[in-house]
Amino acid sequence: MSDAPVEVSFADGVGRITFNRPEAMNAADVATAVAFRDGVRALAAEPALRVIVLSGAGRAFMAGGDLASFRKAQDRSGFAHELIAPIHEGLALLSECRAVSIAAVQGVAAGAGMSVALAADLCLAGQSASLSTAYVRVAGPGDCGITWALPQLVGPRKALELMLLSPTIDADEALRLGLVNRVVADEALATETDQLAARLAAGPAGAMARIRDLIRRPRAHYAAHLDAERTAFAASAAEPDFDEALEAFFNKRKPNFTAG
């Protein structure tokens, strides 16, 4: 692995995007968001691309957005736009790309990490996987497409429960809810993902792309929904509750949110 926040590679029809900030549990900062967007763009330009695999280096898939970056920002609403815009561009490109996407999730996938995992067409989880929406814990409304994908996967009522209460969801419960397609032993996750990617890459690319388009046809409005999420998150980032959530997180105490 290099020092790049996102590793990108391509071989045999399979593109790979690996979040590479293991020391920060792959929490997404602006450099990560930009590198993710650029990585999807580069892979989408490959004529032979059939599959894109999303994964995380180290013990986590992605532990959400980098709260330390938010804490340092003077204009947190403006910073929310700066951070979210490029990763949303990448997700929109991923949605529009003809390749089938697979998320391989080990360890924590929280906040934006859970969102990115749900944005993929298929998701494999290691037994250690732990998913959480997490947004309400930091006084955020959601981003990276979670308020689009989650209701489609579990229904609006369950989606509201998962967003408003933010429970921790283990791998088996994620499988039961339909958030992941398969749960495997952690040590088998890479092999199982490679085998699935190779099988899909060897399939009829045109037919599979059309299947994907038909199944995910509502994504015609996905880009607009991503814009709405970014605007909502930036509005929340400008409120006192967001400041309180950051201070509580870094001081390891329970936040005291206002009534407004």
Side-chain angles (χ1 to χ4, degrees), residues 41-78:
R41 183 178 292 159
L43 291 176
E46 292 283 353
L49 180 71
R50 299 290 181 267
V51 180
I52 295 178
V53 175
L54 307 175
S55 62
R59 60 193 178 93
F61 179 74
M62 183 199 290
D66 186 357
L67 296 182
S69 297
F70 265 110
R71 195 185 193 197
K72 294 174 184 175
Q74 295 297 313
D75 175 7
R76 287 171 178 164
S77 179

Side-chain angles (χ1 to χ4, degrees), residues 8-10 13-18 36 39-46 49-55 90 93-95 97-104 120-122 193 197 200-201 212:
V8 181
S9 64
F10 176 73
V14 179
R16 299 180 187 275
I17 294 177
T18 304
F36 171 73
V40 177
R41 183 178 292 159
L43 291 176
E46 292 283 353
L49 180 71
R50 299 290 181 267
V51 180
I52 295 178
V53 175
L54 307 175
S55 62
L93 287 168
L94 188 70
S95 174
C97 179
R98 288 170 60 84
V100 177
S101 54
I102 306 170
D121 296 316
L122 301 173
T193 302
L200 291 168
R212 183 174 178 272

Side-chain angles (χ1 to χ4, degrees), residues 18 23 90 102 126 128 140 171 215:
T18 304
E23 74 287 351
I102 306 170
S128 69
I215 294 293

